[in-house]
Amino acid sequence: FLNDHPEVLLKMADAYKAQEKYTDAMQAYKDYIQIKPNDEKGVKGEKSCELAITWTTKPTRYQVKNIRQLNSKFDDAIPAYSNKRYKEIVYQSYRQGAEGKGTNDVNGQAYPDIYASKLQKDGKWTAPVPLVGDPKSGVNTAFAEGGPAMNEKMNEIFFTRCKNYKSKKGDDEKVKSCQIWSSKKRGNAYGDAIMLEIGNDSVIVAHPTLTNKDQTIYFVSNMKGGQGGKDIWTADYDKKKKQWINVRALGPEVNTPGDELYPFVHADGTLYFSSNGHVGIGGFDIFKVEKLEDGWGPVVNMKVPINSSADDIAITFQRDAEKGYLTSNRNGGRV
């Protein structure tokens, strides 16, 4: 039966891996490879289990814990610090009460909004609240908003907004498009949001992060010119023209035929991102890569406990400390 239906072996291997039964998973991947020796899924799966066993035995010195005050039974993701003393955080949440109307097709949850929370003197975070602004032209609207990042002065937020557009075929088919928007802080509220002129409404432009004194932006897109799937791109700001120029994809050192998402650039220039294309131990793992004068260095997996058999994405660090936040759907979160 299995010789005729090797996909059953692959599903079994993936299930074992998700349950962190790495030895059983490795055997199932090996059995699959014997039937389908040229399928990369089996080879990558076996390698992934080997790494998981090694990394779980010898974890790195990072400590990962669940911040329950920031989480809900809905998806809470993509954190970014929003003040210079690291006492405030913004992130996207699908929790009830979002401005977005209806549910999104991907996971049946409400459209996400961007929420904020403050760190109190007792070390606990305040109950998250939506960012304050005009519900029609501010940050949170009836559309889907998420993936926030702040500028260097922490007085302007950059974020992703996704809308449904009518397809250009002229029928009722709708195309989902995501673009990057920005909004400046005015007192305790955010002003009108403005769309960055990068790409067009037929492609995804999302997950911004700024570096180089806000003169360089990294983002995710499925524009033509990448390696396939969603890739990490970059652009430079022209102060005179007040526009983003030199839009280009990072090379095959970073991007793969899979998906590379959620870029974050540390103050030291290291690029952190999530990928399901590089070999890892989960669905998505978090990786880092150093910028060189003529390109990028080798991509390095952040290993256990930053990564797990689940999806680990969207890491962010304080400027001068090996301390920050990430998003994970590993066991132990709120349900």
Side-chain angles (χ1 to χ4, degrees), residues 60-210:
T60 65
R61 294 173 66 185
Y62 287 106
Q63 292 181 322
V64 177
K65 63 179 181 179
N66 180 16
I67 309 298
R68 291 186 68 81
Q69 305 106 14
L70 295 175
N71 293 322
S72 66
K73 65 180 181 180
F74 300 95
D75 285 349
D76 305 284
I78 319 177
Y81 287 108
S82 54
N83 87 345
K84 289 189 174 182
R85 293 180 299 133
Y86 309 112
K87 304 287 188 188
E88 292 178 17
I89 204 165
V90 289
Y91 61 101
Q92 74 177 45
S93 178
Y94 285 88
R95 67 189 62 206
Q96 289 170 321
E99 286 284 345
K101 300 294 180 271
T103 56
N104 91 31
D105 299 334
V106 179
N107 57 12
Q109 297 181 350
Y111 285 127
D113 271 354
I114 297 174
Y115 282 73
S117 177
K118 294 184 179 181
L119 189 62
Q120 302 170 111
K121 288 181 180 177
D122 63 2
K124 292 185 177 177
W125 291 93
T126 58
V129 294
L131 285 192
V132 179
D134 189 306
K136 289 187 177 178
S137 62
V139 176
N140 291 326
T141 67
F143 300 109
E145 283 88 20
M150 300 298 295
N151 68 339
E152 190 172 41
K153 289 182 178 177
M154 299 285 187
N155 62 3
E156 185 173 7
I157 190 169
F158 291 73
F159 62 96
T160 307
R161 175 175 290 159
C162 297
K163 298 181 179 183
N164 285 328
Y165 292 87
K166 279 195 173 179
S167 93
K168 290 177 179 174
K169 294 175 187 172
D171 53 26
D172 290 334
E173 184 188 341
K174 288 188 174 178
V175 177
K176 190 162 196 175
S177 175
C178 300
Q179 304 295 321
I180 297 169
W181 294 63
S182 71
S183 171
K184 290 184 178 173
K185 203 168 188 179
R186 294 178 183 162
N188 292 322
Y190 283 86
D192 290 351
I194 300 164
M195 191 178 87
L196 275 60
E197 299 291 334
I198 300 174
N200 56 61
D201 63 17
S202 66
V203 296
I204 290 170
V205 180
H207 306 162
T209 189
L210 290 121

Side-chain angles (χ1 to χ4, degrees), residues 1-17 24-36 42:
F1 170 79
L2 291 175
N3 281 325
D4 294 330
H5 299 280
E7 70 278 3
V8 175
L9 270 173
L10 189 62
K11 284 182 180 176
M12 195 164 69
D14 290 343
Y16 279 137
K17 185 174 149 219
D24 293 335
M26 198 189 299
Q27 188 57 54
Y29 283 125
K30 282 179 177 175
D31 293 342
Y32 178 78
I33 291 166
Q34 283 192 325
I35 304 168
K36 290 263 190 176

Side-chain angles (χ1 to χ4, degrees), residues 242-254:
K242 293 189 175 179
Q243 64 186 34
W244 293 96
I245 60 171
N246 300 334
V247 178
R248 60 210 183 271
L250 304 194
E253 306 98 333
V254 176

